[in-house]
Amino acid sequence: MALPSTDTSRLDNTLAVIRTLRDQGPVARIDLGTLNGISSATVTSISAELLQQGLISERPPEAPRPTGRGRPKTLIELDPNAACVVCIKLSINEIQLVVGDFSGQVRHSEHHAVTTLALSADDLEALLEEKISAVCALQLKGFQRLAGICLAVQGVVSSQSGTIIWSPALSFRNAPISARLAERFHCSVLLENDANCIASVLAAQPDYADCPNLVVIMLGYGIGMSVLINGVPFLGANGSAAEFGHSKYQPDGALCACGRRGCIEAYASDYALYRAAADHLALPPGDSAHPSEQQMQALTQLALQGDSVAQEIYAEAGRALGVGIANVLALFNPDLVLITGSGVRGFDAMQAAMHSTLNEALVAELMGTTRIESCAWDRDMTCMGGIAMALNATDGETLLDSQAKSGSATCL
Amino acid sequence: MALPSTDTSRLDNTLAVIRTLRDQGPVARIDLGTLNGISSATVTSISAELLQQGLISERPPEAPRPTGRGRPKTLIELDPNAACVVCIKLSINEIQLVVGDFSGQVRHSEHHAVTTLALSADDLEALLEEKISAVCALQLKGFQRLAGICLAVQGVVSSQSGTIIWSPALSFRNAPISARLAERFHCSVLLENDANCIASVLAAQPDYADCPNLVVIMLGYGIGMSVLINGVPFLGANGSAAEFGHSKYQPDGALCACGRRGCIEAYASDYALYRAAADHLALPPGDSAHPSEQQMQALTQLALQGDSVAQEIYAEAGRALGVGIANVLALFNPDLVLITGSGVRGFDAMQAAMHSTLNEALVAELMGTTRIESCAWDRDMTCMGGIAMALNATDGETLLDSQAKSGSATCL
DNA sequence: ATATTTATTTTAGCACCTAAAGTAAATAAA
DNA sequence: TTTATTTACTTTAGGTGCTAAAATAAATAT
């Protein structure tokens, strides 16, 4: 009689099982029960369904069995080919496409140089369609479905409405990109800020498991930030929260790329550091408005080797960061502030000034127990985060889809 | 067989019914169903239980019946005497005690002048015990139980651990007050920041129903703030989030009560305004470090009547607020910033400078659709918020308690 | 009086979950 | 080589809680 189920526990438990398998790899039924606080009888029932739907498979028992006594565990794992997701990272003059499988593994990655600032909204859409189609045609053999697409873009995006509100990589604004891609590829399209993707990956690392309130500051050409509250990215009303780079250091200070004055970014970003240095120091040639990695490394070297002009430039950047972080601590009181991004290359030259400014700015009660740490920028984890977020967002649909295909053939 | 129920839907639905009755007053079963998305059959079942437990009663049908056709609605209402809560507001040199009943109505309120800064932690605990005991003895006749106590204090508190970390009203720190009161009165004790109590009341008003992300700034002797994210107060890792008053305006600016320099509070709080004015203007006599309402009104009058020194003092305060709010918008991107507190008396004299500073500081994309409004400070709503929060926090316990008493006499 | 309308309660049935009992599959011991 | 023990998984039996539909209650309109 009661058809529309109001009780979501079965769905919740099934999703929990899928996520545990994604995070931990192959797991036995009994452990899935313990890990998720459900009985093994329920796990049996859930895994039977998932098995029938083709979303998981039983791993054949291995030759070497280091298990002790008793019936050995039968490990269950996600079928990597049950679905896949694509993440596209959109940054200035470059787009990156990554394909991830249902188990969360990266299957393919490619980069394209594109003069993004020259694109119109239609151009961008056409370009994304083309690149996604191409990658699907080449890479998707064997996948049961394209579950979703994640667009990771620098700038202000509204995830809720799927609209790019403003991005430094684009010359147009307010582009409702998600809906159009969703229509084209018949899958859900997630629009995310790039910093939130990276922060999600970092937060999933065991080192930061005890920091549910995590702030990640990304230094680079510009300055971005992500605030995780209880592990989930804080977006604000329109998605423009956590714009640390445009919070203020000096009310009437240096000119920022945003057009206003005194933003933290106008002191501590690559372009700001290089701008302050260009007149006084001999640095490698190149576009001084968009300094190259080589140019920035040269500048950092000068500061670290004791050049007083370079040192003062980094010290001023450190003071700006110190004031900005003081405000972040006063307003968010996080467990940890993690400073990363390509700009951490110069962090050693900023650190002392940053900490002394911070300590001068805030009484101990407001510093609380917040740790301030930096994190080396080994590789760009944006797309890893995007893949993980896209999978998480689409598990429910994948489940429904496979139920429709296998289970209730009664519908036909 | 399955005794420990893992399904919380019955509890959730029961709490939803109780809260609807508290918010809306008497409601019929069928409307409780619609309002909470549950079937009227379930409401019948839940209300039968609550009726038996004595937490609600059926309101006798009224003489004038303006209803139309059909069987008339039987209205259900909370039994006000089913439980009560006490809220204590602790501020500098004053404590206020308010008693609220189970339906959320204020039953009693009293103020006491206390030199709070002279108290030790033990003194405070003894004082609170004495006052709460007294108020219970006098006011609690007829109440079935004291469900909870809410302590609303200015400053940094850790709700989680029940510890007052720092308060301008107290000369000691890190006082674990909740546990001791809970033990003494055998009820749960909620420790809250006063601004969060006020913001919760404001957020419940229909005018602000469309603002789940609400920032409330409280101007007064000091400057406080509360940030509601999806309607719930944001606390941060240790409860010291939202310390807007100590975010920065000028890195090396005016001296703040916290001991550091350049805080917003050092420009826009009552003490800061009065300090800036005291040397130049003739104002009513009194303690210039703790200006009275009369002194502040005199200063405000001067500014509004065109005195250029007073005007510049308020303009500078407005600029400080403007920069502070710019940072709040960049970092929180709320739906609405509401400025209130006794200090709004001078808001008209600050407003122009505040808005122009804000507009200069932030590009349109980051201003987003956030509204900035002020709200008259008619009366102190701290304790109303505390009562509401305490009731909400203790409904589950009240339910369990009454179940133990009435329903399952089988336990005996 | 009877029909109609609306509110509430009762009934019947479904979708979950869990504990306990049963079964399976291994190792250790006799 | 049986037999006992241990551990994992599955089946069974029973409970909670919800909903739709039917039944009942209590009004007004005809």
Side-chain angles (χ1 to χ4, degrees):
Chain A
M1 265 178 195
L3 277 187
S5 166
T6 179
D7 183 2
T8 59
S9 60
R10 184 52 169 243
L11 180 60
D12 293 344
N13 288 337
T14 307
L15 292 177
V17 164
I18 292 177
R19 274 153 207 176
T20 304
L21 291 172
R22 188 131 62 217
D23 293 346
Q24 320 243 336
V27 178
R29 287 172 176 81
I30 191 166
D31 297 323
L32 285 169
T34 323
L35 253 31
N36 293 296
I38 51 183
S39 71
S40 65
T42 302
V43 177
T44 293
S45 158
I46 288 173
S47 56
E49 269 179 35
L50 291 175
L51 224 34
Q52 200 222 332
Q53 292 162 204
L55 298 183
I56 62 172
S57 57
E58 288 189 345
R59 162 165 290 211
E62 280 148 29
R65 40 186 65 274
T67 49
R69 271 200 193 204
R71 177 174 174 173
K73 296 181 177 187
T74 316
L75 301 184
I76 290 172
E77 62 190 343
L78 293 181
D79 180 344
N81 296 326
C84 74
V85 292
V86 174
C87 175
I88 301 113
K89 180 189 173 193
L90 181 67
S91 35
I92 303 177
N93 294 334
E94 189 188 68
I95 67 174
Q96 180 185 6
L97 274 87
V98 172
V99 178
D101 65 27
F102 189 59
S103 75
Q105 295 304 301
V106 169
R107 287 286 195 96
H108 171 79
S109 173
E110 61 185 51
H111 293 254
H112 300 275
V114 178
T115 53
T116 51
L117 280 162
L119 300 173
S120 70
D122 287 336
D123 291 342
L124 175 66
E125 196 196 320
L127 177 72
L128 292 179
E129 278 198 19
E130 180 206 320
K131 296 297 182 196
I132 296 170
S133 297
V135 95
C136 286
L138 281 174
Q139 303 292 335
L140 255 59
K141 317 288 183 200
F143 282 117
Q144 290 175 25
R145 58 192 292 263
L146 175 64
I149 296 170
C150 175
L151 231 64
V153 344
Q154 222 183 102
V156 177
V157 302
S158 165
S159 303
Q160 215 182 355
S161 69
T163 306
I164 300 176
I165 295 176
W166 175 84
S167 167
L170 300 171
S171 51
F172 54 88
R173 303 180 175 198
N174 298 313
I177 190 87
S178 291
R180 299 173 74 174
L181 287 178
E183 200 181 339
R184 168 68 181 75
F185 291 100
H186 306 291
C187 68
S188 57
V189 176
L190 211 65
L191 184 60
E192 287 288 341
N193 176 275
D194 61 341
N196 286 337
C197 293
I198 292 165
S200 297
V201 177
L202 289 173
Q205 295 184 359
D207 319 22
Y208 308 123
D210 58 334
C211 300
N213 292 53
L214 174 64
V215 166
V216 179
I217 294 175
M218 312 248 311
L219 304 178
Y221 176 74
I223 293 186
M225 177 165 98
S226 173
V227 176
L228 301 188
I229 296 179
N230 286 330
V232 318
F234 173 59
L235 303 173
N238 316 295
S240 74
E243 282 290 341
F244 176 73
H246 304 290
S247 70
K248 298 293 153 179
Y249 170 47
Q250 290 280 5
D252 276 301
L255 185 64
C256 178
C258 75
R260 302 302 160 110
R261 293 192 165 274
C263 302
I264 309 277
E265 181 171 304
Y267 294 85
S269 67
D270 284 357
Y271 75 78
L273 292 165
Y274 201 87
R275 176 179 64 190
D279 295 341
H280 306 289
L281 299 170
L283 290 162
D287 179 358
S288 69
H290 286 83
S292 65
E293 182 58 29
Q294 194 204 356
Q295 287 175 306
M296 290 310 301
Q297 281 181 6
L299 178 55
T300 302
Q301 277 312 306
L302 280 179
L304 292 176
Q305 283 160 10
D307 179 286
S308 65
V309 173
Q311 281 185 330
E312 175 51 26
I313 290 170
Y314 277 92
E316 179 70 356
R319 288 189 286 271
L321 276 182
V323 168
I325 292 176
N327 288 337
V328 166
L329 296 203
L331 296 175
F332 287 108
N333 177 223
D335 294 291
L336 172 66
V337 174
L338 208 52
I339 299 168
T340 185
S342 61
V344 281
R345 72 173 97 69
F347 186 64
D348 283 346
M350 305 178 189
Q351 213 176 153
M354 183 195 89
H355 276 115
S356 70
T357 303
L358 181 54
N359 287 323
E360 250 169 54
L362 235 48
V363 288
E365 284 75 24
L366 297 185
M367 297 279 272
T369 54
T370 305
R371 285 147 47 206
I372 316 262
E373 292 178 12
S374 66
C375 170
W377 186 244
D378 319 315
R379 59 195 169 129
D380 187 339
M381 294 180 293
T382 313
C383 286
M384 292 171 60
I387 296 273
M389 292 175 105
L391 284 169
N392 252 299
T394 55
D395 279 339
E397 288 166 36
T398 302
L399 207 51
L400 275 178
D401 190 74
S402 58
Q403 274 165 8
K405 276 185 193 158
S406 68
S408 42
T410 49
C411 297
L412 305 171
Chain B
M1 266 179 194
L3 277 187
S5 167
T6 179
D7 182 4
T8 59
S9 61
R10 185 52 171 245
L11 179 61
D12 292 345
N13 288 336
T14 307
L15 291 177
V17 164
I18 292 176
R19 272 151 209 177
T20 305
L21 291 173
R22 186 131 65 216
D23 292 347
Q24 321 243 335
V27 178
R29 287 174 176 79
I30 191 168
D31 298 321
L32 284 169
T34 325
L35 252 32
N36 293 297
I38 52 183
S39 72
S40 64
T42 302
V43 178
T44 293
S45 157
I46 287 172
S47 57
E49 268 179 35
L50 291 175
L51 223 36
Q52 200 223 330
Q53 293 163 204
L55 297 183
I56 62 171
S57 56
E58 286 189 346
R59 164 166 287 212
E62 279 149 30
R65 38 187 66 275
T67 50
R69 271 202 195 202
R71 178 174 173 171
K73 297 180 175 185
T74 315
L75 301 184
I76 289 171
E77 63 190 342
L78 293 181
D79 179 345
N81 296 326
C84 74
V85 291
V86 173
C87 176
I88 301 112
K89 180 189 173 194
L90 180 67
S91 35
I92 302 177
N93 294 334
E94 190 189 67
I95 68 173
Q96 180 184 7
L97 273 88
V98 172
V99 178
D101 65 29
F102 189 59
S103 75
Q105 296 303 303
V106 169
R107 287 287 192 96
H108 171 78
S109 174
E110 62 185 48
H111 292 254
H112 299 275
V114 177
T115 54
T116 52
L117 280 163
L119 298 174
S120 71
D122 287 336
D123 292 341
L124 174 67
E125 196 196 318
L127 178 71
L128 292 179
E129 278 198 17
E130 179 207 320
K131 297 297 182 195
I132 296 170
S133 297
V135 95
C136 285
L138 281 173
Q139 303 292 335
L140 254 61
K141 317 288 183 199
F143 282 117
Q144 289 174 26
R145 60 191 291 264
L146 175 64
I149 297 170
C150 176
L151 230 64
V153 345
Q154 224 184 102
V156 177
V157 302
S158 165
S159 304
Q160 215 181 354
S161 68
T163 306
I164 301 176
I165 295 177
W166 175 83
S167 167
L170 300 171
S171 50
F172 54 88
R173 302 179 176 198
N174 299 312
I177 191 87
S178 291
R180 299 172 74 174
L181 287 177
E183 200 182 337
R184 168 67 181 80
F185 292 101
H186 306 290
C187 67
S188 57
V189 177
L190 211 65
L191 184 61
E192 288 289 340
N193 176 275
D194 60 342
N196 286 337
C197 292
I198 292 166
S200 297
V201 177
L202 289 172
Q205 294 183 359
D207 319 22
Y208 308 123
D210 59 333
C211 299
N213 291 51
L214 174 64
V215 166
V216 179
I217 293 175
M218 311 248 310
L219 304 178
Y221 176 75
I223 293 186
M225 178 164 99
S226 173
V227 176
L228 301 188
I229 296 178
N230 287 330
V232 317
F234 173 59
L235 303 174
N238 316 293
S240 74
E243 281 290 340
F244 176 74
H246 304 290
S247 70
K248 299 292 153 180
Y249 169 47
Q250 291 279 5
D252 277 302
L255 184 64
C256 177
C258 75
R260 302 303 158 111
R261 294 193 164 273
C263 302
I264 310 280
E265 181 171 302
Y267 294 85
S269 66
D270 284 357
Y271 76 78
L273 292 164
Y274 201 86
R275 176 179 63 190
D279 296 341
H280 305 288
L281 300 170
L283 291 163
D287 179 359
S288 69
H290 286 84
S292 66
E293 181 59 30
Q294 194 205 355
Q295 287 174 308
M296 291 309 302
Q297 281 181 6
L299 179 55
T300 303
Q301 277 311 307
L302 279 179
L304 292 176
Q305 283 159 12
D307 178 287
S308 64
V309 172
Q311 279 184 333
E312 176 50 27
I313 289 170
Y314 277 92
E316 180 69 356
R319 288 190 287 271
L321 276 182
V323 169
I325 292 175
N327 287 337
V328 165
L329 297 203
L331 297 175
F332 287 107
N333 177 224
D335 295 292
L336 171 66
V337 174
L338 208 52
I339 299 166
T340 186
S342 61
V344 282
R345 71 173 98 69
F347 187 64
D348 284 345
M350 305 177 189
Q351 210 174 157
M354 183 193 89
H355 276 116
S356 70
T357 303
L358 182 54
N359 287 324
E360 251 170 54
L362 236 47
V363 289
E365 284 75 24
L366 296 185
M367 297 279 272
T369 53
T370 306
R371 286 148 47 208
I372 317 262
E373 292 178 12
S374 66
C375 170
W377 185 247
D378 318 316
R379 60 194 169 130
D380 187 339
M381 293 180 294
T382 313
C383 285
M384 292 171 61
I387 295 276
M389 293 175 106
L391 284 169
N392 253 298
T394 54
D395 279 340
E397 288 166 35
T398 301
L399 208 52
L400 274 179
D401 190 74
S402 57
Q403 274 166 8
K405 275 186 195 159
S406 68
S408 42
T410 49
C411 296
L412 304 172

